[in-house]
Amino acid sequence: MHLAAALKSSPSAGLIRTKFNACVGLLGILTAALSGQSTPPPIEAHLRIVSLDLPILDHGFITGGKFKPTTIGTGTLTADLTYHGPARFELLKTADVGAVETTPNNSTGMKGPPRTPTWWVDLPAGKSGQHLILLVSQPNDKGGIIAMPDDPTTFGYGTHRYMNFCPYPISVKVPAGVFPIPPQTFKTFRSGVKGGAYYSLEIKSFENGEEKLGFATRVLQSESFRKIYILYPGLADTGRIKIKVIEDQPAAKPLQSVTEVPAPKGK
C-alpha cells in the first residue's frame, strides 16, 4: 500500500499526517544546516616554493584576499611565505589578476570573475599552521605542484631529502646505510658523517628489475645547508639517473639597527 493511501485509510490519519509533516520539516532544516557547512574554513600554511623547471617571475598567489607577487627560483627555496585561504593553493599570472580587490566573491577570494590558475595543489585541509615545501613542475591537468611536509625535526640543516621521479625503484647508499626509495616517493636522512668531511654517495637504479649504478659522486657534508635531491631517469635502458640539487640555508640575520651616536664634546 502506498504511503498516501495508508494515511487516508488510518483512523488516526490526522495525527499521522501531522507527525509526518513534522519529520519532513525537520529533515529540511537538517539538510539546510549541512549544506551550510559544505564550504570548509580557510587554512593557514607556511610555504617554501621552488620551481623544478624554469624560474617563475610573473606569478603570485592570493592570501587573505590580497594578491602577493612571488619570484620562484630553481636552485633555492623561497623565503617563508604565509598563506591564508582555501585548501586549494593556486599560482596565478600577475597580468590576469590586475588591480587588487579585497572583497571575497569566488574561489580565489577576490572580487570579480573566476580566474584560471597556471598551477594549483590541494593542501591538507583542516590543518592550520602547517609548514610545507611546494615543488612546481610543468603545468598539467593535475595541478603541476607536489606538496611535501617541511618538519624541522626530520628535515633540519645538515639533512638530505631524496625525491624519486623515476618510474622504477632506486636505492641511495651513504655511510649511514642503504635507503630504498620507491617511485614517486621521497626519503629524508642524514649522511652519517660529521660536518666538514667528505663521503661517497652511490645511487643504484632498478630499471626493468635490473640493478645498475645510476649515479656516484663525493659530497662534502655541511651542517649549514639542507639539500633536496630531485632524481630523474636518464637515457632509457641504461639505468643512469639525472640529479637536480636544491639547497637551503638559514635565513640571514637582520642587520643591526642604526643607533644614535652622540657628537663628541668640544674642548
Side-chain angles (χ1 to χ4, degrees):
M1 182 181 293
H2 293 292
L3 180 59
L7 289 175
K8 289 181 181 179
S9 60
S10 171
S12 304
L15 179 60
I16 295 175
R17 280 196 298 269
T18 300
K19 291 183 177 181
F20 178 78
N21 292 335
C23 291
V24 172
L26 181 60
L27 180 60
I29 293 173
L30 180 60
T31 302
L34 292 176
S35 63
Q37 298 174 357
S38 60
T39 302
I43 65 169
E44 181 176 285
H46 298 275
L47 307 176
R48 308 287 303 279
I49 313 176
V50 67
S51 172
L52 300 182
D53 191 22
L54 298 174
I56 301 173
L57 308 175
D58 57 349
H59 282 69
F61 61 96
I62 295 170
T63 176
K66 296 182 179 180
F67 181 72
K68 182 178 180 62
T70 305
T71 298
I72 301 173
T74 60
T76 59
L77 304 176
T78 63
D80 183 86
L81 301 170
T82 301
Y83 170 71
H84 185 81
R88 171 156 292 195
F89 173 81
E90 299 177 341
L91 284 175
L92 302 156
K93 285 186 178 180
T94 304
D96 290 347
V97 175
V100 174
E101 302 172 65
T102 59
T103 303
N105 195 35
N106 55 35
S107 62
T108 64
M110 302 285 283
K111 185 173 69 176
R115 299 170 177 87
T116 302
T118 309
W119 292 275
W120 71 91
V121 64
D122 291 323
L123 304 179
K127 295 182 180 180
S128 282
Q130 58 192 316
H131 291 255
L132 299 167
I133 294 174
L134 304 185
L135 308 177
V136 184
S137 60
Q138 291 275 353
N140 58 54
D141 57 0
K142 295 182 179 179
I145 298 179
I146 293 176
M148 58 173 59
D150 186 14
D151 185 349
T153 61
T154 58
F155 190 31
Y157 294 101
T159 305
H160 301 158
R161 173 170 289 177
Y162 294 81
M163 178 73 201
N164 181 18
F165 280 122
C166 300
Y168 43 79
I170 65 167
S171 68
V172 178
K173 182 180 179 181
V174 294
V178 178
F179 300 87
I181 307 177
Q184 308 304 314
T185 61
F186 66 86
K187 283 190 177 179
T188 308
F189 47 86
R190 298 180 65 88
S191 65
V193 301
K194 294 182 179 180
Y198 280 91
Y199 65 92
S200 296
L201 168 64
E202 186 178 274
I203 301 177
K204 296 284 185 69
S205 66
F206 295 86
E207 185 180 14
N208 302 320
E210 182 181 355
E211 179 180 329
K212 293 182 180 179
L213 179 63
F215 181 85
T217 189
R218 295 276 291 171
V219 180
L220 174 65
Q221 174 66 27
S222 173
E223 298 301 308
S224 301
F225 290 85
R226 59 178 183 169
K227 298 180 181 180
I228 303 176
Y229 289 83
I230 308 296
L231 311 176
Y232 299 101
L235 190 65
D237 299 322
T238 65
R240 301 299 293 173
I241 291 175
K242 298 186 295 184
I243 293 184
K244 174 182 176 65
V245 182
I246 299 165
E247 292 186 342
D248 182 48
Q249 59 181 328
K253 295 182 179 179
L255 296 176
Q256 185 177 0
S257 60
V258 177
T259 56
E260 293 291 336
V261 178
K265 295 180 179 180
K267 292 182 180 180

